[in-house]
Amino acid sequence: MTTIASVRTDDVRFPTSLELDGSDAVNVDPDYSAAYVQITTESGESGHGLVFTAGRGNEIVARAIDSYGDLLIGKDTDELLGDLGAAAKLLVHDSQMRWLGPEKGVSQMAAGALINALWDLAARRAGTPLWRFIAEMKPEEIVRAVDFTHITDALTPEEALEILRKGQEGKAERIEQLQREGFPAYTTTPGWLGYSDEKLLRLSREAVAEGFDLIKLKVGGSLEDDRRRMALVRSEFGPDLRVAIDANQRWDVNEAIEWVNALAEFDPWWIEEATSTDEILGHARIRAEVAPVRVATGEAVANRIVFKQLLQAGGIDIMQIDATRVAGVNENLANLLLAAKFGVPVCPHAGGVGLCELVQHFSFIDYAVVSTSQQDRYIEFVDHLHEHFVEPVRVRGGRYQAPVQPGIGAEMHAASRQRWTFPDGPGWQEVAGRAAVTGATRAHADSSADTDTNPMETSR
């Protein structure tokens, strides 16, 4: 018998706020960060996971992972990996820890990091990437991994099993297709709110040239600015390029309806996070009153129970799952199955630190054995920080290429973790030194300048 010997966390942060990468109407100056965890067994095996944050508070998530990790120390590794459904419940439904949520916020994300690390360990043992590991599981095994607590009024285990059994038809051909062609991507790289018009257009041209047929622009700072930016893109690319917009929960319900309708002439493909992700009835009203603009949300949805209600209320046209917001792989399997039951496409949220690397697996799983469709389905792509991962994402011709290395894709290079550990890593010491020289803690470049300079280029 081998047991879980250690759970180690790292507070890893990158100074993306220096160039306003990731900026939007709400997250005005994010420092893309990861509360990173590595589970190690007595025999030396390891599994990796992380939670993406926007900077301050990353240490809180790391400490929560430590607390949940105590529940795994000394546990039989074979027993945990032999029943990953039970392993997830051990963490999520711990009778004392669940009081901190239940099943939402820091506690849910911390539990999810460990659950993802266990799946990473299981896939590594099998010698396959996570998406293939799950696609090759029997439908009954996948259903056993799903927590149906509080969702059986929308999806029963029997219904999930029926979806997955149907997904076995043609599975081998779809897996081969995914390995050959990959999965459609869209990009948010051009659309950050802090970018100049010149930078927006230059990056949009580059995206279209690279094969992307959907780009996303951040909105919600100023209606005048939003109309100008949308008009620039439409003037440059015409009506055929799909252009989504994202307000990052900036508006109340009435404001969202008015603002989206004021942008409707530019034919936005979807409006993302028009209001609070907890605003279930509000989403349903927005959807009814901005049609035919599609309504998308999900990156900040806390759990399968909220997704269930958004679907039941007819509040979304597109479900956007996140790899680290909910309780790991198990809960995202529930989310994929719920979306399939209601006939709603899943377009995962990515970007951040490691989100592209992790979340791509779920779209590959969805196509292989759940929805079996790529129609109007995309994975978000943002070209930030991939070089820090052992298996960085590969996007060619506007499509994610299938991950090939064993595991979930969360493993970061040890040197990157060491350099960007906050606040004492060498990278942060250099950032602090530059700030002292300039006399500012935020060395923002002129927002009107069109520059390719990466603030971390000199300190990687």
Side-chain angles (χ1 to χ4, degrees):
M1 182 183 78
T2 181
T3 62
I4 302 298
S6 68
V7 173
R8 170 182 168 166
T9 57
D10 293 291
D11 181 352
V12 181
R13 308 187 197 187
F14 299 94
T16 52
S17 63
L18 299 182
E19 288 291 330
L20 296 182
D21 297 331
S23 57
D24 56 56
V26 175
N27 305 292
V28 295
D29 60 349
D31 282 328
Y32 276 7
S33 305
Y36 186 89
V37 63
Q38 180 174 347
I39 295 174
T40 304
T41 71
E42 285 181 327
S43 62
E45 297 175 284
S46 64
H48 302 258
L50 59 83
V51 172
F52 168 66
T53 78
R56 285 185 294 276
N58 198 55
E59 76 282 1
I60 298 172
V61 183
R63 296 294 76 78
I65 295 171
D66 288 336
S67 294
Y68 274 100
D70 289 341
L71 298 173
L72 297 180
I73 300 296
K75 290 288 191 297
D76 185 323
T77 307
D78 292 339
E79 186 176 312
L80 288 170
L81 302 188
D83 190 346
L84 284 161
K89 289 179 180 178
L90 170 72
L91 299 169
V92 174
H93 294 297
D94 177 78
S95 63
Q96 296 181 7
M97 294 291 287
R98 76 179 302 276
W99 186 264
L100 301 178
E103 298 190 63
K104 62 177 69 72
V106 170
S107 62
Q108 189 80 333
M109 292 188 288
L114 290 163
I115 292 166
N116 283 345
L118 289 172
W119 281 92
D120 183 59
L121 181 54
R124 286 168 179 263
R125 273 193 173 186
T128 61
L130 179 75
W131 73 273
R132 281 295 302 270
F133 180 69
I134 292 177
E136 299 292 357
M137 291 171 67
K138 296 178 181 179
E140 293 80 4
E141 293 175 313
I142 297 175
V143 169
R144 281 198 295 273
V146 173
D147 186 352
F148 288 91
T149 306
H150 303 312
I151 63 170
T152 54
D153 58 318
L155 177 73
T156 66
E158 293 75 22
E159 289 172 324
L161 189 60
E162 182 180 353
I163 291 169
L164 291 164
R165 283 175 174 166
K166 185 177 179 180
Q168 299 301 296
E169 302 169 10
K171 178 176 76 172
E173 290 79 6
R174 288 190 298 276
I175 289 175
E176 192 277 331
Q177 180 188 357
L178 287 167
Q179 291 176 316
R180 184 180 67 252
E181 301 175 2
F183 197 94
Y186 79 89
T187 183
T188 309
T189 295
W192 301 115
L193 208 58
Y195 286 177
S196 67
D197 289 351
E198 292 78 12
K199 191 168 186 177
L200 162 65
L201 287 175
R202 177 177 58 78
L203 293 175
S204 296
R205 293 185 194 108
E206 292 175 4
V208 171
E210 290 166 3
F212 293 99
D213 65 5
L214 169 63
I215 65 172
K216 188 169 75 181
L217 306 185
K218 298 293 184 174
V219 296
S222 157
L223 179 56
E224 179 183 358
D225 288 343
D226 292 346
R227 287 181 59 84
R228 186 189 72 255
R229 284 156 55 88
M230 290 289 285
L232 283 170
V233 172
R234 281 290 174 229
S235 176
E236 178 78 18
F237 300 102
D240 294 333
L241 178 68
R242 292 178 173 180
V243 182
I245 56 175
D246 182 0
N248 289 94
Q249 307 176 50
R250 178 69 176 80
W251 303 314
D252 283 354
V253 172
N254 290 337
E255 188 179 16
I257 293 167
E258 293 172 4
W259 204 302
V260 174
N261 284 331
L263 297 175
E265 66 179 283
F266 303 108
D267 191 25
W269 181 249
W270 73 57
I271 171 60
E272 179 176 334
E273 288 202 314
T275 191
S276 166
T277 50
D278 295 333
E279 179 59 90
I280 295 163
L281 298 181
H283 269 89
R285 187 176 155 221
I286 291 168
R287 181 170 178 251
E289 296 191 32
V290 304
V293 178
R294 299 160 184 81
V295 171
T297 202
E299 70 182 72
V301 166
N303 53 53
R304 69 202 176 281
I305 304 159
V306 177
F307 272 128
K308 174 197 74 170
Q309 293 174 81
L310 284 165
L311 292 166
Q312 288 174 320
I316 53 174
D317 297 285
I318 297 160
M319 178 190 285
Q320 295 174 303
I321 62 173
D322 181 274
T324 74
R325 175 70 65 170
V326 300
V329 171
N330 306 64
E331 190 153 42
N332 269 327
L333 290 174
N335 293 333
L336 292 178
L337 288 161
L338 281 165
K341 164 74 180 294
F342 283 83
V344 170
V346 176
C347 296
H349 166 252
V353 179
L355 296 186
C356 295
E357 280 73 17
L358 271 67
V359 84
Q360 60 182 329
H361 291 270
F362 295 105
S363 285
F364 281 76
I365 293 164
D366 186 51
Y367 181 59
V369 296
V370 185
S371 75
T372 69
S373 175
Q374 293 185 24
Q375 181 67 39
D376 292 336
R377 288 162 168 83
Y378 297 86
I379 310 169
E380 185 174 17
F381 175 68
V382 181
D383 195 11
H384 293 160
L385 306 170
H386 305 298
E387 68 275 13
H388 299 289
F389 286 85
V390 172
E391 187 183 19
V393 293
R394 296 171 296 126
V395 174
R396 292 199 295 267
R399 299 179 73 89
Y400 273 80
Q401 304 303 295
V404 296
Q405 293 190 20
I408 197 173
E411 184 178 3
M412 295 180 71
H413 292 296
S416 292
R417 300 201 308 270
Q418 180 183 17
R419 183 167 190 79
W420 292 104
T421 294
F422 185 85
D424 297 324
W428 279 103
Q429 292 300 306
E430 293 171 14
V431 169
R434 292 202 302 274
V437 169
T438 60
T441 58
R442 295 290 184 192
H444 288 158
D446 181 356
S447 62
S448 66
D450 182 11
T451 175
D452 291 322
T453 302
N454 186 315
M456 291 170 287
E457 197 67 44
T458 60
S459 56
R460 283 192 185 121

